[in-house]
Amino acid sequence: AQSVTQLDSQVPVFEEAPVELRCNYSSSVSVYLFWYVQYPNQGLQLLLKYLSGSTLVKGINGFEAEFNKSQTSFHLRKPSVHISDTAEYFCAVKYSGAGSYQLTFGKGTKLSVIP
Amino acid sequence: EAGVAQSPRYKIIEKRQSVAFWCNPISGHATLYWYQQILGQGPKLLIQFQNNGVVDDSQLPKDRFSAERLKGVDSTLKIQPAKLEDSAVYLCASSAWDGMNTEAFFGQGTRLTVV
């Protein structure tokens, strides 16, 4: 089974500073990678996804992520964060399991933007 | 397009009681998922339906949890009897079909507290 590791459980950052949220996954033949955001008391919303092609993926709200196959990483970045980016971010990997496609999540990283 | 609807939003019950959650997926979506999200952890897949058939329930505690998706549309998840460790947010999600490149759309979740 696939596993996803988010190396930081909490990341505080000052407003307008850059941020990187790290994600590593266990290697597999073929996986698709996702980043979701969860605002307080809300469900998960898709930020971006990597399916194939360019390894640099751009998503909503100015976020982007880079797929690195050799390092099995899919780190999320934003050059300048806003207060509204305060939320929990989940990295997820989708792979072909026994008869279905499994979407497995990491434990999440809480991003706190400090004014 | 209406999103995934879940009810209730919050539920508090005593241990050993039973509880049921309801989910209405996005119209036309064949695949429906129930996830359990314990505080401080990422969502964990409990059960996945394709239309009204179960494709994966390997992580569903079948001695106390049950789920059904009659007519391949709405779904209910039941816990009977509940334990303290069942306190979590239960997320329902749906996707157009079960494929590698399909996006899962999440509801706002039901927060269950077992006391």
Side-chain angles (χ1 to χ4, degrees):
Chain A
Q2 286 285 333
S3 65
V4 179
T5 302
Q6 291 184 244
L7 298 166
D8 305 298
S9 59
Q10 296 189 53
V11 173
V13 63
F14 286 103
E15 193 174 15
E16 297 183 7
V19 69
E20 179 180 82
L21 306 183
R22 296 180 292 170
C23 172
N24 287 87
Y25 63 95
S26 56
S27 180
S28 180
V29 175
S30 179
V31 294
Y32 286 178
L33 297 159
F34 303 79
W35 274 98
Y36 283 84
V37 61
Q38 187 175 36
Y39 299 102
N41 298 316
Q42 298 293 318
L44 280 74
Q45 179 184 1
L46 183 67
L47 268 181
L48 49 80
K49 58 186 176 183
Y50 172 78
L51 305 180
S52 63
S54 173
T55 58
L56 184 63
V57 180
K58 294 191 183 296
I60 63 172
N61 300 340
F63 283 93
E64 62 182 31
E66 186 158 17
F67 170 63
N68 188 318
K69 189 174 183 179
S70 63
Q71 297 186 8
T72 60
S73 68
F74 190 54
H75 300 333
L76 181 70
R77 302 186 183 100
K78 186 169 182 178
S80 175
V81 296
H82 302 290
I83 294 290
S84 59
D85 293 324
T86 295
E88 190 157 19
Y89 293 79
F90 292 92
C91 181
V93 61
K94 200 171 194 182
Y95 64 99
S96 179
S100 66
Y101 294 95
Q102 311 275 351
L103 184 62
T104 299
F105 288 86
K107 290 189 175 182
T109 298
K110 288 186 179 177
L111 174 63
S112 298
V113 180
I114 305 164
Chain B
E1 174 180 84
V4 177
Q6 290 187 248
S7 67
R9 287 294 313 276
Y10 305 93
K11 190 74 177 178
I12 301 175
I13 62 171
E14 295 182 349
K15 60 183 179 183
R16 292 188 289 273
Q17 285 187 323
S18 62
V19 65
F21 313 128
W22 173 81
C23 172
N24 180 233
I26 292 173
S27 177
H29 278 194
T31 307
L32 185 146
Y33 316 80
W34 282 102
Y35 283 85
Q36 179 192 57
Q37 186 179 13
I38 293 173
L39 187 65
Q41 298 182 23
K44 182 185 83 172
L45 180 68
L46 292 176
I47 189 167
Q48 179 177 339
F49 292 93
Q50 182 70 14
N51 296 310
N52 60 349
V54 175
V55 295
D56 185 359
D57 63 356
S58 56
Q59 298 192 86
L60 186 74
K62 298 181 187 61
D63 58 332
R64 297 183 301 106
F65 286 65
S66 64
E68 61 182 8
R69 191 183 183 197
L70 298 176
K71 300 180 182 179
V73 183
D74 294 2
S75 178
T76 56
L77 176 69
K78 296 179 181 177
I79 308 175
Q80 182 179 12
K83 292 184 176 182
L84 296 176
E85 59 261 36
D86 298 331
S87 293
V89 175
Y90 291 85
L91 295 165
C92 179
S94 70
S95 62
W97 64 87
D98 182 23
M100 281 289 276
N101 62 347
T102 54
E103 178 183 346
F105 294 84
F106 285 79
Q108 291 186 305
T110 296
R111 182 178 297 276
L112 173 68
T113 303
V114 182
V115 298

